[in-house]
């Protein structure tokens, strides 16, 4: 039986990119604003990691600018279910080369946080189109 670890990562987008997204959101649903985006890492392991293995994994996944805690409604953009992203292939290879033999796979998603209320269902798909590529990604409503 495998174990799935969920580890919070760094800031996923710059303030400039967030502003650009908010400009586009203003044309779709003015009260809705993107307030933050952060990476989340999902690690499939064969067993519970030792303290040393956990430390190595956390060091590997510590990159970029730290993200402030996101608040508001969250959507999680991940690689399409059933696929393995190029990022995952390289991250998994690096983890295994660092002695993390119990790690089967490392994957990364982006948690997007929105404020300003819930858009009508007729507009939700237009907002989701702005935060993911439907050919290669899936949007989930939580990290669970």
């Amino acid at each position: 039986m495998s174990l799935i670890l969920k580890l919070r990562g760094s800031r996923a987008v710059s303030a400039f990119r967030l502003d650009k997204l908010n400009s586009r959101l203003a044309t779709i649903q003015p009260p809705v604003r993107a307030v933050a985006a952060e990476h989340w890492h999902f690690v499939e392991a064969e067993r519970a990691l030792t303290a040393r293995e956990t430390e190595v994994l956390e060091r590997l996944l510590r990159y970029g600018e730290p993200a402030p805690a996101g608040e508001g409604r969250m959507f999680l953009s991940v690689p399409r279910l059933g696929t393995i992203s190029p990022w995952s292939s390289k991250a998994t290879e690096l983890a295994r080369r660092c002695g993390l033999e119990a790690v089967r796979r490392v994957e990364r998603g982006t948690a997007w946080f929105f404020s300003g209320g819930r858009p009508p269902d007729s507009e939700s798909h237009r907002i989701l189109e702005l935060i993911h590529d439907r050919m290669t990604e899936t949007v989930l409503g939580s990290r669970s």
Side-chain angles (χ1 to χ4, degrees):
M1 182 171 168
S2 62
L3 174 72
I4 303 294
L5 305 171
K6 300 169 191 156
L7 304 167
R8 188 169 177 254
S10 61
R11 182 183 307 257
V13 298
S14 66
F16 173 80
R17 185 164 170 213
L18 215 51
D19 288 343
K20 185 176 176 181
L21 173 60
N22 282 319
S23 293
R24 294 183 71 193
L25 282 170
T27 66
I28 297 170
Q29 189 68 31
V32 176
R33 290 190 45 78
V35 293
E38 61 189 34
H39 289 301
W40 274 83
H41 302 100
F42 303 93
V43 180
E44 180 184 5
E46 294 174 2
R47 58 171 170 74
L49 302 180
T50 66
R52 186 198 71 74
E53 289 171 326
T54 300
E55 180 184 339
V56 169
L57 179 62
E58 287 174 348
R59 283 186 21 222
L60 278 173
L61 298 177
R62 194 177 309 130
Y63 57 87
E65 186 179 332
E71 294 182 15
R73 183 153 186 221
M74 190 270 299
F75 289 102
L76 181 65
S77 172
V78 296
R80 280 188 76 126
L81 302 177
T83 66
I84 298 176
S85 72
W87 188 94
S88 175
S89 297
K90 188 51 114 176
T92 303
E93 177 186 343
L94 289 170
R96 296 185 65 79
R97 286 183 183 241
C98 288
L100 300 175
E101 297 299 321
V103 171
R104 289 185 183 163
R105 180 174 171 195
V106 181
E107 190 57 86
R108 178 175 75 175
T110 302
W112 294 90
F113 295 89
F114 293 89
S115 68
R118 183 180 170 95
D121 288 336
S122 62
E123 299 298 332
S124 290
H125 75 280
R126 293 181 62 202
I127 292 171
L128 297 180
E129 287 174 356
L130 298 176
I131 64 167
H132 85 295
D133 175 351
R134 67 185 184 144
M135 296 296 287
T136 61
E137 297 174 314
T138 301
V139 177
L140 307 172
S142 74
R143 290 180 294 267
S144 299

